[in-house]
Amino acid sequence: MNYWKIAFFSLAGLIAASIVGLIIVIGNTASSPPLPESNASSKAGYSLELNTTKENFEGIANTYIRKAVKGALPVELEMRDDVLLTSELTVFSYTLPLAMHFDPIVREDGNLILKQSSMELGDLNIPPSTVLKLLKNSVEFPPWMIVRPKEEEIFIDLQDLPISGDVKVKAKEVNLAKDEIILEVLIPKN
């Protein structure tokens, strides 16, 4: 009987050590990719200011995200008083729900930074930078979404969205509390 107890506790200790080791290895965040240079459009063209709501922006964003990740992992964006990104991660054949909260920041060049404010990964207590690194390694994000684990943020290059006709989009204001999102659509002259 003692042999089974010793074997059980040894196995439990080995599993716990493996989990801690994996978290430490994953937690070592390498430097994040640099942000692209500001590519403020200087081409002659026309601009159109577009006022939209959280619901409309959410629908557009999810359409682009679904096309980009091609069902590799379910990633969903929800606009609330903050930006909620939900997904799931599989760790040791357990699928855990993932919810990450971000505050949107409009950059001078019209692109967005989603700065992480909190996150939940099942019942695990893992640093946000580690969760972002896991997500970055699990999902092939489109080139216009740059996950930066060390900075705990996601950069959204709106001007690099695949829109036909060389049309570019810039964010002018994102005020989630007032349900106001103002975008500038730049249409080049022919």
Side-chain angles (χ1 to χ4, degrees):
M1 190 67 142
N2 282 339
Y3 173 75
W4 290 110
K5 283 183 183 179
I6 292 171
F8 174 75
F9 287 117
S10 295
L11 181 61
L14 182 62
I15 291 172
S18 297
I19 291 172
V20 169
L22 180 65
I23 289 173
I24 289 171
V25 168
I26 292 172
N28 288 337
T29 55
S31 61
S32 296
L35 295 180
E37 292 293 320
S38 174
N39 54 356
S41 181
S42 59
K43 293 180 183 177
Y46 308 99
S47 70
L48 173 70
E49 194 169 282
L50 177 68
N51 292 338
T52 189
T53 63
K54 293 186 283 191
E55 181 181 358
N56 287 332
F57 189 84
E58 178 181 306
I60 294 166
N62 282 320
T63 299
Y64 275 98
I65 291 170
R66 272 192 289 280
K67 281 183 183 179
V69 298
K70 297 177 181 106
L73 194 68
V75 177
E76 191 80 21
L77 184 117
E78 190 176 328
M79 307 293 278
R80 299 174 167 187
D81 288 336
D82 63 357
V83 177
L84 174 65
L85 187 69
T86 58
S87 186
E88 54 188 33
L89 290 176
T90 303
V91 180
F92 297 115
S93 55
Y94 288 102
T95 301
L96 301 171
L98 172 64
M100 295 184 295
H101 297 267
F102 296 92
D103 294 322
I105 300 167
V106 177
R107 286 180 24 137
E108 216 173 282
D109 62 1
N111 290 312
L112 289 175
I113 289 185
L114 301 179
K115 192 71 175 167
Q116 192 166 20
S117 56
S118 67
M119 71 97 206
E120 300 94 38
L121 178 61
D123 292 332
L124 300 176
N125 187 14
I126 299 176
S129 59
T130 302
V131 174
L132 277 174
K133 185 174 180 185
L134 281 169
L135 187 65
K136 180 181 176 183
N137 294 337
S138 301
V139 178
E140 186 176 333
F141 283 98
W144 46 269
M145 281 182 88
I146 300 173
V147 178
R148 305 182 74 214
K150 188 174 180 182
E151 290 78 10
E152 297 181 2
E153 65 187 23
I154 298 176
F155 174 75
I156 310 291
D157 192 349
L158 292 175
Q159 296 172 39
D160 198 27
L161 285 174
I163 301 175
S164 64
D166 212 18
V167 173
K168 301 291 181 197
V169 176
K170 289 182 172 184
K172 294 195 79 155
E173 182 181 345
V174 177
N175 187 335
L176 298 178
K178 291 184 179 179
D179 195 17
E180 244 181 27
I181 299 170
I182 302 172
L183 302 173
E184 182 179 17
V185 180
L186 304 166
I187 304 166
K189 287 184 181 179
N190 288 337

